[in-house]
């Protein structure tokens, strides 16, 4: 049964080959000072930077830059960005990049006018902002996180060996996002498939929780089927517009809060993956891929009916003459084969983890309450061991 909920998603999306023109509609709504935030330089090589700057100039904006946002943005970089935004007296923060750049822009946006330490306030105490929030817009260049239409913002504190996401409320969602699937064509294969798995993981985190039969489950099964198909097409031909545009749209729906409405969710795979990310700085989607199979095989007995349903409705496993366990396990085997076909990293050793890190990995993993099994520290250690 669906629980009670209030639903609002305030982000305006511009989607398709002309999506960047959306900036011409949005920019006049904000003051003159724009802080242009981007990563390590991919947007300079593929022409997106020039296209964005041209539109900013045509709209009479003063452009201030904050470059070098790294994948898994750090708390130290966040400090720099806050300073930069203050100097610029930013009226708008325009994030041009992937989830890291968008997440970082949101973290800056809630900290510019706040005197407290942002790490303690937002990532340790999980408080909502009480200060003025600088509006954020986003031009997406890497698909996977859903950051373009949600309030998520993940920051890494390497000293504390913690990578933590704050899911902010509506006020922190990007005001608008421009989504041109062609902008993702230049992604290196490793990043591309990592993003595909991030999308799958977002859906599964919300699917494998609760025992109800609700609309969200049917929507998620449809999203998963579309993703499974399109990912294989895109892996074969990365410039297939149909596949890449379907994947881009699926990624947004996978984590724009819609499918989570009225149901419980898990997110333990992300907690395990974020621990790996905090310690190894590995690519987000790959950390999830590397821990997923051991985790799902571990919790399968506790959520058997849903794993059975997943096998049949998503992976077309035929149930005839099989036990529920056999059906469910065949579903996971089909998922594992798909992951290997895409070339995903299937163990944390390949991401730089080793046995001597197990204590730190266990300590860095937050335990969630919404999955089929609330994990003990011993179970977490076992899952990491099996992921090595
Ligand atoms: O820095 P540049 O040079 O731009 O290169 C980036 C970066 O190295 C490159 N890239 C991006 N677009 C490109 C491109 N290269 C060529 N062509 C393009 N068009 O890709 C690399 C990875 O970018 P990044 O932004 O780090 O990837 P992603 O979008 O996967 O974001 C990962 C971050 O998002 C967080 C993750 O934890 C991680 O910190 N997440 C955010 C979530 C949210 N907001 O809700 C949820 C997710 O579960 C996730 O935790
Ligand atoms: Zn994710």
């Amino acid at each position: 049964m669906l629980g009670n909920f209030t639903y609002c998603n305030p982000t305006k999306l511009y989607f398709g080959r002309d999506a960047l023109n959306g900036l011409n509609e949005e920019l006049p709504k904000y003051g003159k000072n724009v802080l242009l935030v981007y990563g390590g330089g991919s947007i300079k090589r593929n022409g997106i930077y020039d296209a964005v700057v041209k539109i900013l100039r045509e709209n009479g904006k003063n452009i201030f830059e904050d470059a070098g946002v790294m994948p898994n943005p750090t708390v130290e970089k966040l400090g720099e960005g806050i300073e930069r935004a203050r100097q610029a007296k930013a009226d708008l923060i325009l994030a041009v990049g992937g989830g890291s750049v968008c997440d970082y822009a949101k973290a800056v946006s809630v900290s510019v006018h706040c005197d407290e330490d942002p790490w303690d306030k937002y990532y340790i105490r999980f408080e909502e902002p009480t200060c003025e929030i600088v509006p954020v817009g986003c031009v997406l260049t890497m698909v996977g996180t859903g950051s373009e239409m949600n309030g998520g913002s993940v920051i890494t504190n390497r000293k504390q060996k913690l990578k933590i996401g704050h899911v902010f409320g509506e006020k922190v969602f990007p005001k608008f996002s421009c989504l041109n699937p062609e902008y993702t064509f230049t992604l290196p294969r490793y990043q591309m498939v990592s993003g595909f798995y991030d999308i799958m993981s977002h859906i599964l985190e919300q699917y494998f929780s609760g025992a109800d039969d609700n609309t969200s489950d049917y929507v998620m099964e449809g999203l998963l089927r579309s993703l499974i198909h399109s990912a294989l097409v895109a892996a074969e031909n990365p410039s297939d517009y149909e596949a890449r545009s379907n994947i881009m749209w699926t990624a947004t729906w996978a984590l724009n809060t819609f499918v989570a409405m009225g149901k419980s969710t898990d997110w333990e795979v992300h907690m395990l993956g974020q621990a790996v990310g905090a310690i190894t700085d590995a690519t987000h989607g790959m950390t999830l891929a590397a821990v997923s199979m051991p985790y799902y095989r571990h919790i399968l007995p506790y959520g058997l009916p849903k794993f059975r349903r997943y096998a049949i409705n998503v992976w077309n496993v035929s149930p005839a003459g099989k036990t529920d366990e056999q059906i469910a396990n065949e579903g996971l085997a089909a998922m594992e084969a798909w992951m290997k076909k895409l070339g995903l990293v299937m163990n944390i050793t390949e991401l730089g983890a080793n046995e001597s890190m197990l204590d730190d990995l266990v300590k860095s993993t937050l335990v969630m309450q919404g999955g089929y099994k609330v994990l003990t520290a011993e179970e977490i250690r076992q899952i990491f061991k099996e992921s090595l």
Side-chain angles (χ1 to χ4, degrees):
M1 192 187 69
L2 282 178
N4 301 345
F5 61 85
T6 304
Y7 181 69
C8 169
N9 191 313
T11 305
K12 185 163 180 176
L13 287 184
Y14 296 86
F15 191 95
R17 289 189 168 101
D18 299 330
L20 199 64
N21 290 341
L23 286 183
N24 287 314
E25 282 191 42
E26 295 300 323
L27 292 175
K29 298 177 187 168
Y30 304 96
K32 272 196 161 307
N33 298 336
V34 176
L35 184 67
L36 176 60
V37 179
Y38 57 96
S42 69
I43 64 165
K44 291 213 165 158
R45 293 188 291 277
N46 58 23
I48 297 172
Y49 173 88
D50 289 341
V52 169
V53 165
K54 181 166 178 282
I55 296 179
L56 287 171
R57 290 213 179 104
E58 284 166 0
N59 282 272
K61 299 297 179 184
N62 302 323
I63 307 169
F64 301 84
E65 296 199 12
D66 179 13
V69 180
M70 62 293 278
N72 309 323
T74 61
V75 73
E76 289 80 13
K77 178 67 189 163
L78 173 59
E80 274 178 36
I82 296 167
E83 230 8 79
R84 195 87 190 97
R86 283 177 184 159
Q87 284 161 3
K89 296 192 172 35
D91 298 307
L92 173 72
I93 302 175
L94 186 61
V96 184
S100 293
V101 175
C102 296
D103 281 17
Y104 168 88
K106 290 176 212 169
V108 173
S109 80
V110 294
S111 306
V112 180
H113 299 292
C114 173
D115 294 329
E116 292 168 78
D117 179 303
W119 174 257
D120 287 344
K121 181 175 173 68
Y122 299 125
Y123 297 92
I124 299 294
R125 299 201 301 273
F126 290 103
E127 290 175 18
E128 278 301 297
T130 40
C131 54
E132 185 191 333
I133 301 166
V134 182
V136 170
C138 169
V139 176
L140 195 67
T141 67
M142 153 86 196
V143 168
T145 63
S147 190
E148 66 275 12
M149 203 183 194
N150 70 35
S153 171
V154 183
I155 296 293
T156 297
N157 188 320
R158 309 270 302 166
K159 279 194 206 118
Q160 294 182 15
K161 295 188 177 149
L162 290 173
K163 179 176 179 185
I164 297 182
H166 185 133
V167 181
F168 288 102
E170 281 154 47
K171 287 186 195 145
V172 186
F173 282 42
K175 299 290 175 231
F176 62 88
S177 285
C178 301
L179 273 57
N180 180 346
E182 285 180 340
Y183 283 4
T184 68
F185 287 2
T186 53
L187 276 166
R189 188 178 193 83
Y190 189 87
Q191 290 296 337
M192 176 183 81
V193 297
S194 166
F196 294 171
Y197 191 73
D198 194 18
I199 304 166
M200 170 162 275
S201 181
H202 294 159
I203 303 171
L204 296 184
E205 298 272 31
Q206 298 167 98
Y207 184 78
F208 286 124
S209 178
D212 320 342
D213 177 47
N214 62 47
T215 303
S216 289
D217 290 323
Y218 294 89
V219 172
M220 287 191 270
E221 285 163 2
L223 291 172
L224 286 166
R225 292 178 73 95
S226 170
L227 173 68
I228 290 161
H229 167 73
S230 299
L232 293 176
V233 174
E236 198 63 37
N237 177 13
S239 324
D240 186 304
Y241 185 85
E242 186 172 51
R244 297 301 289 273
S245 58
N246 279 329
I247 293 168
M248 195 171 212
W249 195 215
T250 301
T252 303
W253 279 104
L255 198 50
N256 69 356
T257 70
F258 172 68
V259 295
M261 287 299 125
K263 83 178 291 295
S264 58
T265 57
D266 182 358
W267 295 105
E268 193 59 53
V269 169
H270 271 66
M271 297 308 111
L272 295 160
Q274 279 172 209
V276 176
I279 289 162
T280 66
D281 201 26
T283 300
H284 173 65
M286 293 306 190
T287 65
L288 308 174
V291 300
S292 280
M293 295 317 302
Y295 175 70
Y296 285 128
R297 292 205 163 105
H298 184 78
I299 65 161
L300 183 147
Y302 305 95
L304 185 57
K306 198 60 171 285
F307 280 94
R308 179 185 187 277
R309 174 180 168 159
Y310 174 62
I312 296 168
N313 291 359
V314 177
W315 295 101
N316 301 321
V317 172
S318 160
K322 295 171 194 158
T323 65
D324 288 351
E325 283 83 1
Q326 281 170 331
I327 298 164
N329 276 306
E330 272 188 41
L332 288 187
M335 173 179 164
E336 188 173 28
W338 176 82
M339 292 169 76
K340 287 183 175 162
K341 210 166 175 182
L342 288 180
L344 294 164
V345 175
M346 303 300 286
N347 61 74
I348 58 174
T349 309
E350 217 178 295
L351 299 174
N354 59 48
E355 191 125 21
S356 75
M357 296 174 183
L358 282 175
D359 283 346
D360 279 343
L361 285 167
V362 175
K363 259 190 250 144
S364 300
T365 303
L366 304 186
V367 178
M368 304 305 278
Q369 304 295 317
Y372 290 125
K373 172 77 177 69
V374 177
L375 298 181
T376 62
E378 200 37 57
E379 287 175 304
I380 293 173
R381 172 180 286 275
Q382 190 55 34
I383 289 164
F384 279 129
K385 254 186 145 164
E386 285 167 24
S387 306
L388 279 169

